[in-house]
Amino acid sequence: MARRSGREGRPRRQWSGGSGVPRAPAAGTGCGDAPSEPGGSGHELKRCSMAHNCLQCIKYLMFVFNLLFWLGGCGILGVGIWLAVTQGNFATLSSSFPSLSAANLLIVTGTFVMIIGFVGCIGAVKENKCLLLSFFIMLLIIFLLELTVVILFFVYTDKIDKYAQRDLKKGLHLYGTDGNIGLTNAWSIIQTDFRCCGVSNYTDWFEVYNTTRVPDSCCLEFSENCGLHSPGTWWKAPCYETVKIWLQENLLAVGIFGLCTAMVQILGLTFAMTMYCQVVKADTYCA
């Protein structure tokens, strides 16, 4: 009985099959060690490193993109200021929107582009989620507004045509009056360059002068007071339709410009959201 109890008290060896070789204890089960978790800290470190590398790549791409975006805004703003300084007398043809000139549009557009590009650059350099999200939201709002304007333009083309012609005819009555030298110069340049007269017909000017007369810029051969001569010496083409035909002939260039603008904006949105997600991942895995 004593031998049996002593034999039972000794630890038994674990034998591997029938080979007679003692089997080693399982890893992590001896000496009170807890079993190791497969792919623990090493896996997390690898994910953190991958997230960091992706973040750095997107960071530099977005910085370069927004730097070019900002420089483009500077260029647009510069052209707008140059037009305002050198061509200050050239204004809009619309009497309802007297401030809607090419110079003012370029200045406003350039300013917005510069602000958005600056926010994007700082957000990329600082890896700031708030700035990245702000950049994304601002660019998305502008993109949606542009898309809305294009859709409304094609849906209400006829109504826009009628309103534009009515507004332009209303603006004719300001031609040659005090304080409207910009509108006067604009009509003179358009009628001379496009070889047209009036909005829908040269007779539009008869209501302005209350007589059979047109501006001298309507004449086939310009001379002083040539607008008082017979209608045979005037351009007959309506300016509205002439400019409209010119735009239709250059529709491909306008379409390419619009498509490039949309692609740049979509690219900016993609960069911003991708970098935002990478910053979130880096904060999650590397916290």
Side-chain angles (χ1 to χ4, degrees):
M1 295 295 292
R3 286 184 179 179
R4 184 179 299 175
S5 61
R7 194 180 296 120
E8 290 177 354
R10 291 197 302 267
R12 294 182 178 181
R13 288 188 175 182
Q14 296 179 346
W15 301 90
S16 174
S19 61
V21 180
R23 188 170 57 192
T29 58
C31 304
D33 294 335
S36 60
E37 297 180 2
S41 59
H43 184 63
E44 292 296 329
L45 185 61
K46 183 178 180 181
R47 294 176 69 179
C48 175
S49 177
M50 290 178 61
H52 179 73
N53 292 336
C54 290
L55 177 60
Q56 292 301 311
C57 180
I58 298 173
K59 172 182 177 179
Y60 292 121
L61 286 175
M62 185 170 178
F63 175 77
V64 172
F65 171 82
N66 282 285
L67 181 62
L68 296 175
F69 201 70
W70 182 80
L71 291 174
C74 291
I76 295 173
L77 179 62
V79 173
I81 294 174
W82 175 78
L83 282 177
V85 173
T86 61
Q87 307 291 330
N89 292 332
F90 188 87
T92 178
L93 300 174
S94 173
S95 60
S96 302
F97 305 98
S99 299
L100 196 64
S101 63
N104 291 340
L105 285 175
L106 290 175
I107 290 174
V108 172
T109 303
T111 302
F112 271 108
V113 171
M114 284 181 62
I115 293 173
I116 294 174
F118 179 77
V119 172
C121 281
I122 300 301
V125 172
K126 298 294 185 180
E127 299 178 9
N128 188 289
K129 290 185 289 186
C130 181
L131 290 177
L132 290 172
L133 198 58
S134 299
F135 172 83
F136 179 85
I137 292 173
M138 287 190 295
L139 197 58
L140 180 62
I141 290 174
I142 292 176
F143 179 77
L144 292 177
L145 285 175
E146 292 173 349
L147 186 62
T148 303
V149 169
V150 171
I151 293 174
L152 291 176
F153 176 79
F154 284 106
V155 171
Y156 298 102
T157 301
D158 294 336
K159 292 184 178 180
I160 293 174
D161 273 346
K162 293 178 181 178
Y163 175 80
Q165 292 187 54
R166 185 169 61 251
D167 188 59
L168 290 172
K169 288 181 180 180
K170 183 180 177 182
L172 292 180
H173 292 272
L174 301 176
Y175 183 89
T177 58
D178 295 336
N180 290 291
I181 187 173
L183 184 142
T184 302
N185 289 341
W187 268 113
S188 298
I189 292 172
I190 287 177
Q191 292 184 141
T192 301
D193 291 349
F194 285 93
R195 299 181 177 183
C196 59
C197 189
V199 178
S200 57
N201 202 329
Y202 65 87
T203 56
D204 295 336
W205 291 108
F206 295 173
E207 299 178 6
V208 177
Y209 291 108
N210 293 321
T211 184
T212 306
R213 181 185 177 182
V214 296
D216 294 342
S217 57
C218 283
C219 298
L220 299 175
E221 295 183 4
F222 179 82
S223 62
E224 192 70 25
N225 294 324
C226 62
L228 295 172
H229 299 166
S230 63
T233 61
W234 306 333
W235 300 113
K236 300 297 190 298
C239 288
Y240 187 83
E241 289 298 326
T242 303
V243 174
K244 188 176 178 180
I245 291 172
W246 179 82
L247 288 174
Q248 291 174 349
E249 291 175 349
N250 294 273
L251 192 61
L252 180 61
V254 175
I256 292 175
F257 175 78
L259 184 61
C260 291
T261 302
M263 290 297 294
V264 168
Q265 292 174 345
I266 292 173
L267 192 62
L269 291 171
T270 304
F271 276 139
M273 184 51 63
T274 304
M275 185 171 180
Y276 177 83
C277 293
Q278 290 298 325
V279 171
V280 172
K281 285 183 180 180
D283 290 346
T284 302
Y285 296 145
C286 305

